[in-house]
Structures are given as C-alpha cells and as structure tokens.
C-alpha cells in the first residue's frame, strides 16, 4: 500500500496482546488479505485510511461482479449506488467506524451490471498498537434472496391472500397498538366496519370467482379512500374494517361517506360484456373515555352496522353512547 496510507504501519510496542486475527491484520495485512482470497461466501477486503480499496477476495468478486483490477485503488464509495453516494452514506459509514471502531448494517450496494443488492456489512477499524488508524476491513454478504423470502413469509402471515389487506389477526394486533397510542396522547380514533350487502346471495347467484372480484374491488376502494395512517383489514368473508386514527366522529363520518360513494360507483365484470354493482352496510364507532378496549369498540361498530342493515342496503349508521 502506498501514499502514506499503508496498513503496515503498526507499532512494535503493545501493552495488551490482541487476538491472533487482529495481530495478523496489524502486522501483515497483505498476508491476511491473501488468506481470505479463496473465500467465496463472503466479500472480504481491506480499505486504507484514505478510503481506497486495497484488496479484493473471490467472494467480493462473486457477489458484485467487479474484478480485482476494477476496484483496487478505487474509493470505497464505488461500491454504493449513486443515490447513496449523493446522500453521503459511504462517507458517514467510514466516519462512524473511525469514531466507534465498528459498524454492522444492512445497506444497498452496487453490482457491476448496474443493479443493486442488499448487503449485510460488518466494517471494522484496523488500528496500530498505539491506537492509530491503519485502515479498515469489511466483510459483506448478499442477503437479497433471504430478505425477499423473509418479506414473503411476513406478507403471508399478516396479509389476506385475496385482497392484500391486513388479515384479521394482524389488523387486531395493529389496532390494539393504535388504541394504546390514542389513549397515551389523548387523540381521537374511530372504527368503521362494513359488510357486503347480501354477500351469500351474490355468491350463490354469480359464483365464488365473481364474489372474489367484488371483495378485491371493495379492498381497492378502502385503500384508495384511506389516508396513509389508516388501517384497512378483512375480518372474514365479506366483512371489512377500517381504523381511522386521529379522526373523531365527524371527520370519520365524512370519510365513511366518501368510501360509500366510491363503492357505489364500482362495477365488476361477470363475463359476456356484462357487469354488476354491489353495496355495503357500514357501522361507525368512535373511541370514548368510557370505551374499555378494542373489543368494546368493535361491538359498538357492529351494533351500528346492524342498525344500518335494518335501515336498508348501502346505509351508514353511527354508534352513539
């Protein structure tokens, strides 16, 4: 290594004997780099004090597609996508390790073909016996596929397979947290429960496939009308719920009416150039100081929903204490 940034500059004096791997890095970093050349599962490479890449093992080449000749002597930032460079991620990462000696993170990294991968990175400072910074060593692993599998499993566990909305279990879990937050900060919160009118008859008349299309259209209306902070879920069959944080009775009613109008405008193709519409009954309840828990809030919204059903199709009723 050159330009005064060599990792060879370790002092022969040491007050505390470092571990063998660290002693090897301090004394002969090039030899340490040679020892990891054949490792293919992880990218392992040395970076000097100026942030220039000084070694490149087989794993780094396999993961990124960059050959040794393309990276040696080049800045560490070349391993990052352009937007990450603009945001200063490589610079901040090195600065953090200079100050704290170690950084473990998940970062987007650049591939030679112009793509990206998700890397699990462990970056360590290499210091001399007197504490002076000699450079850095980074170990990276491509976790893109593992992360995608994890995300798919999470989606299966928390999302309704047909509509993509939160499933009942996850909706209730998130609603409990929202109620706790609303009480802590004395903020309003409302709940709308809606049910497709005569869903069993619709299913018997047109079949399960058409009924599923109706549910998908209803879910699309819910997500299209809701705010970013709202929570939409499918509770069962044709029954859905919409949790409205920071909304008391009046704004929640206005939002429910907008949703009802959007649903009323929907048409679902049934084949042969024909389509059908559908309607929903809706019950709304708002959180009060006397509301004990989510179960009571849902019972109140269900009571309002039953009143809406008795009033006729496509009605909205609001629960009052």
């Amino acid at each position: 290594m050159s330009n005064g940034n060599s990792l060879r500059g370790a002092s022969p004096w040491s007050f505390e004997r470092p571990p063998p791997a660290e002693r090897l890095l301090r004394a002969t970093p090039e030899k340490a780099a040679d020892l990891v050349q054949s490792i293919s599962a992880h990218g392992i490479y040395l970076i000097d004090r100026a942030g220039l890449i000084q070694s490149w093992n087989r794993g780094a080449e396999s993961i990124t597609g960059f050959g040794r000749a393309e990276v040696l002597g080049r800045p560490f930032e070349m391993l990052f996508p352009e937007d990450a460079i603009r945001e200063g991620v490589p610079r901040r990462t090195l600065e953090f390790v200079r100050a704290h000696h170690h950084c473990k993170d998940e970062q987007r990294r650049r591939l030679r073909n112009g793509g990206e991968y998700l890397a699990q990175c462990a970056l360590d400072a290499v210091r001399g016996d007197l504490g002076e910074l000699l450079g850095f060593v980074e170990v990276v692993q491509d976790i893109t596929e593992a992360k995608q599998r994890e995300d798919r499993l999470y989606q299966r566990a928390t999302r309704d397979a047909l509509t993509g909305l939160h499933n009942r279990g996850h909706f209730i879990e998130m609603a409990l947290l929202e109620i706790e937050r609303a009480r802590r900060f004395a903020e309003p919160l409302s709940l709308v429960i809606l049910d497709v009118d005569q869903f069993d008859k619709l299913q018997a008349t047109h079949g399960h496939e058409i009924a599923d299309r109706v549910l998908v259209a209803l879910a699309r209306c819910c997500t299209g009308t809701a705010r970013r902070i709202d929570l939409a879920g499918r509770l069962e069959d044709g029954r859905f719920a919409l949790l409205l944080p920071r909304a008391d009775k009046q704004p929640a009613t206005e939002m429910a009416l907008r949703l009802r109008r959007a649903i009323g405008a929907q048409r679902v193709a049934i084949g042969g150039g024909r389509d059908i519409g559908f309607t929903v009954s809706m019950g709304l309840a708002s959180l009060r100081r006397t509301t004990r828990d989510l179960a009571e809030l849902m019972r109140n919204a269900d009571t309002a929903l039953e009143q809406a059903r008795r009033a006729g199709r496509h009605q909205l009723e609001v629960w009052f204490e």
Side-chain angles (χ1 to χ4, degrees):
M1 300 183 191
S2 59
N3 299 324
N5 294 315
S6 174
L7 298 184
R8 292 183 180 276
S11 166
W13 303 101
S14 177
F15 298 99
E16 187 173 328
R17 191 167 178 80
E22 188 175 345
R23 290 203 305 273
L24 182 60
L25 270 172
R26 289 183 181 184
T28 54
E30 287 83 358
K31 184 176 180 181
D34 289 341
L35 289 175
V36 300
Q37 279 302 316
S38 61
I39 295 176
S40 58
H42 295 76
I44 307 173
Y45 41 87
L46 299 171
I47 305 163
D48 67 17
R49 285 179 297 183
L52 303 179
I53 300 168
Q54 299 297 321
S55 72
W56 194 248
N57 80 329
R58 185 180 301 172
E61 183 171 350
S62 174
I63 291 170
T64 67
F66 288 110
R68 284 170 53 87
E70 296 174 286
V71 299
L72 293 184
R74 298 285 303 281
F76 174 59
E77 68 177 22
M78 74 163 289
L79 305 179
F80 290 77
E82 289 186 5
D83 59 338
I85 296 173
R86 286 194 300 271
E87 293 166 9
V89 175
R91 173 182 50 78
R92 290 199 305 270
T93 301
L94 290 180
E95 288 175 354
F96 183 89
V97 176
R98 283 189 182 98
H100 302 282
H101 313 294
H102 175 76
C103 177
K104 187 172 184 179
D105 197 8
E106 292 179 4
Q107 296 178 339
R108 289 183 302 112
R109 293 292 179 91
R110 175 187 169 205
L111 296 171
R112 188 181 187 278
N113 63 11
E116 296 179 6
Y117 72 102
L118 184 63
Q120 186 174 72
C121 319
L123 184 65
D124 286 273
V126 180
R127 296 188 178 275
D129 293 331
L130 299 180
E132 71 277 17
L133 178 68
L134 304 178
F136 309 90
V137 59
E138 183 168 58
V139 179
V140 298
Q141 184 178 13
D142 184 353
I143 59 169
T144 307
E145 291 186 7
K147 202 70 173 179
Q148 289 172 345
R149 285 195 300 271
E150 181 182 314
D151 290 343
R152 286 194 296 269
L153 288 172
Y154 179 78
Q155 291 296 319
R156 290 174 188 170
T158 62
R159 295 282 177 172
D160 175 60
L162 175 65
T163 65
L165 299 182
H166 297 290
N167 61 28
R168 180 184 179 90
H170 193 241
F171 178 85
I172 290 175
E173 181 182 340
M174 298 299 290
L176 288 169
L177 295 176
E178 283 295 334
I179 287 180
E180 181 182 338
R181 187 198 58 77
R183 291 197 186 282
R184 184 184 310 124
F185 297 104
E187 292 181 345
L189 178 142
S190 296
L191 173 68
V192 180
I193 294 181
L194 49 156
D195 211 351
V196 178
D197 291 322
Q198 299 180 326
F199 182 69
D200 290 341
K201 181 179 179 181
L202 183 151
Q203 204 168 39
T205 303
H206 298 287
H208 289 281
E209 182 181 350
I210 302 304
D212 285 350
R213 291 182 191 176
V214 167
L215 298 180
V216 171
L218 174 54
R220 193 163 49 239
C221 283
C222 289
T223 55
T225 305
R227 304 164 298 170
R228 298 181 77 178
I229 62 172
D230 296 335
L231 187 71
R234 182 184 177 194
L235 301 182
E236 57 185 350
D237 296 330
R239 177 170 291 209
F240 291 68
L242 188 62
L243 192 74
L244 307 173
R246 303 174 191 170
D248 57 20
K249 182 175 65 178
Q250 181 177 347
T253 300
E254 293 172 356
M255 194 173 304
L257 289 172
R258 286 199 302 273
L259 176 57
R260 187 180 67 171
R261 286 195 296 272
I263 292 169
Q266 291 293 304
R267 306 298 296 177
V268 175
I270 61 173
R274 298 177 299 153
D275 57 33
I276 60 170
F278 62 95
T279 61
V280 295
S281 296
M282 309 173 73
L284 186 153
S286 295
L287 188 66
R288 297 287 185 265
R289 287 193 300 272
T290 55
T291 307
R292 289 188 295 272
D293 51 26
L294 174 63
E296 183 174 347
L297 182 65
M298 294 185 75
R299 283 196 300 272
N300 294 340
D302 270 329
T303 299
L305 174 63
E306 291 303 320
Q307 293 171 351
R309 282 205 190 95
R310 289 194 293 270
R313 297 176 63 182
H314 212 47
Q315 297 297 314
L316 167 67
E317 293 291 337
V318 179
W319 179 84
F320 293 95
E321 287 184 331

